[in-house]
Amino acid sequence: MAVYSLLRPLLFALDPERAHALSLQALRLMGAVPPLRALQRRLTPRVDDPVEALGLRFPNRVGLAAGYDKDARGLRGLAALGFGHVEIGTVTPRPQPGNPRPRLFRLVAERSVINRLGFPSQGAAVVAARLRRRPADVVVGVNIGKQRDTPVERAVQDYLALLEIFAPLADYLTVNVSSPNTPGLRRLETGDELGKLLAPLAKRRDELARHVPLLVKLSPDLAPEDLDAAVDAARAAGIDGIVATNTTLSRAGATSPNANETGGLSGALLTAASTAALARVAQRVADRALVVGAGGVLSSADASAKRAAGAELVQLYTGLVYRGPRLIRESALALAARTT
């Protein structure tokens, strides 16, 4: 676990996207070589804290948020780090490059990151082929999003196509309508529009041979009444869970040189707003759907705060950039202690 402390200065000397690509490549290698995978499991043994949710058995409450492994390249390596679940994506129907580089920026002083990646994806066919060889010892979710060039008015067709492809392969699906980096996407998370998008998805899901749980990921930037309306629309449509939250457009408290870059902000500057939105979602849901807490988990205390606010499961991503894999076990142990 001390290894990351040695590697971090080297990674931080690189362009953030290059550093991310190298870390994912290392995870792919580890996943492909059984002795390396076994060594990692000894270094970061997975916390045994099983929880039943969505008709699934999660080995523990800590998962990887969408955005790290967009194309399911490193699933075996990620499972060896001790995650209870891994959410891949965002996956789009067809390959697309995302936004021009540079598009990923560290705010080191604030332990935060700004990204404007814009759903770079190898496409559903490539990801589906990898999922057919997925590891069986970790819950795998797929985060799905519309193609950049698909008009918002026809977005439901993209999501339906992705549902058809991944329902047989994923343990659950998360509908991403809250990324700030795809033009017009957040229009879909307003109450009426969200209901019109999610209802056909839930209906088609119920017609399929295999029932796959459907979640929706919401923004921390919604006004309180709009957040309530989005939760109500999701529940009325038959959605099984809500991920709260995605990244924020706010720059409150940001003073780093990169603070004025456009895109979604994650990390420590998001923690308070994300947890407040999560608490409102959980209160509105009132145990009628799963609530997943994501956004600004950089310590076990942050993970515990998500759980206290009503999250059954907790996801992290930016915390890995600043803390490394030890954050996974620390958070899982803290959440396990809350249930004993």
Side-chain angles (χ1 to χ4, degrees):
M1 286 186 282
V3 173
Y4 188 76
S5 298
L6 298 174
L7 289 177
R8 192 184 118 156
L10 300 176
L11 291 172
F12 274 43
L14 299 173
D15 167 78
E17 195 160 353
R18 177 61 176 158
H20 176 268
L22 286 174
S23 67
L24 189 54
Q25 182 62 29
L27 285 164
R28 289 180 65 190
L29 176 63
M30 180 173 66
V33 180
L36 291 178
R37 205 159 64 238
L39 174 61
Q40 183 61 52
R41 290 190 186 279
R42 287 197 293 272
L43 292 173
T44 55
R46 185 161 65 189
V47 174
D48 185 23
D49 178 32
V51 56
E52 303 288 334
L54 302 174
L56 304 168
R57 185 181 186 275
F58 292 79
N60 62 50
R61 296 180 186 271
V62 177
L64 177 67
Y68 183 89
D69 189 357
K70 293 180 178 294
D71 298 307
R73 297 180 182 189
L75 276 175
R76 294 185 187 279
L78 287 165
L81 295 181
F83 284 112
H85 71 280
V86 173
E87 189 168 311
I88 64 164
T90 298
V91 184
T92 56
R94 293 174 280 108
Q96 65 177 27
N99 292 322
R101 302 188 187 196
R103 54 191 183 178
L104 193 62
F105 308 90
R106 301 185 192 99
L107 280 63
V108 177
E110 291 94 358
R111 296 182 301 155
S112 298
V113 168
I114 292 172
N115 93 82
R116 53 171 180 260
L117 293 168
F119 293 173
S121 174
Q122 292 186 319
V126 170
V127 175
R130 290 183 180 136
L131 288 182
R132 293 187 185 100
R133 305 185 301 273
R134 53 166 283 190
D137 62 342
V138 65
V139 173
V140 177
V142 179
N143 186 292
I144 56 176
K146 83 171 190 71
Q147 207 77 28
R148 182 183 181 87
D149 60 5
T150 298
V152 172
E153 296 75 16
R154 296 207 298 270
V156 68
Q157 301 305 320
D158 280 4
Y159 289 103
L160 283 168
L162 292 162
L163 170 66
E164 298 276 353
I165 293 168
F166 290 113
L169 302 171
D171 292 312
Y172 71 87
L173 299 177
T174 298
V175 180
N176 189 345
V177 291
S178 52
S179 169
N181 300 314
T182 295
L185 186 71
R186 283 190 171 186
R187 283 171 48 195
L188 295 172
E189 69 173 341
T190 60
D192 290 345
E193 293 299 320
L194 187 61
K196 288 189 285 187
L197 174 72
L198 296 179
L201 293 177
K203 180 177 183 294
R204 182 59 185 140
R205 183 273 311 274
D206 292 342
E207 295 168 349
L208 296 175
R210 179 174 181 269
H211 183 96
V212 61
L214 280 177
L215 287 71
V216 63
K217 190 168 188 176
L218 298 178
S219 162
D221 297 332
L222 289 169
E225 61 275 13
D226 293 331
L227 184 58
D228 291 346
V231 171
D232 292 347
R235 288 294 304 130
I239 295 301
D240 301 289
I242 295 172
V243 182
T245 65
N246 213 317
T247 57
T248 181
L249 291 173
S250 171
R251 296 295 184 267
T255 60
S256 291
N258 290 324
N260 292 325
E261 294 290 346
T262 60
L265 181 144
S266 61
L269 289 175
L270 173 61
T271 307
S274 178
T275 303
L278 160 66
R280 190 175 185 96
V281 168
Q283 183 178 34
R284 193 79 177 179
V285 165
D287 297 327
R288 292 171 295 168
L290 179 74
V291 179
V292 181
V297 177
L298 283 93
S299 68
S300 58
D302 293 333
S304 294
K306 300 286 189 193
R307 181 82 176 104
E312 282 292 318
L313 305 173
V314 173
Q315 295 180 342
L316 48 88
Y317 173 6
T318 301
L320 290 179
V321 175
Y322 288 98
R323 295 286 317 286
R326 64 180 175 181
L327 176 62
I328 305 164
R329 182 169 173 82
E330 286 179 12
S331 298
L333 285 170
L335 297 181
R338 289 182 57 88
T339 59
T340 58

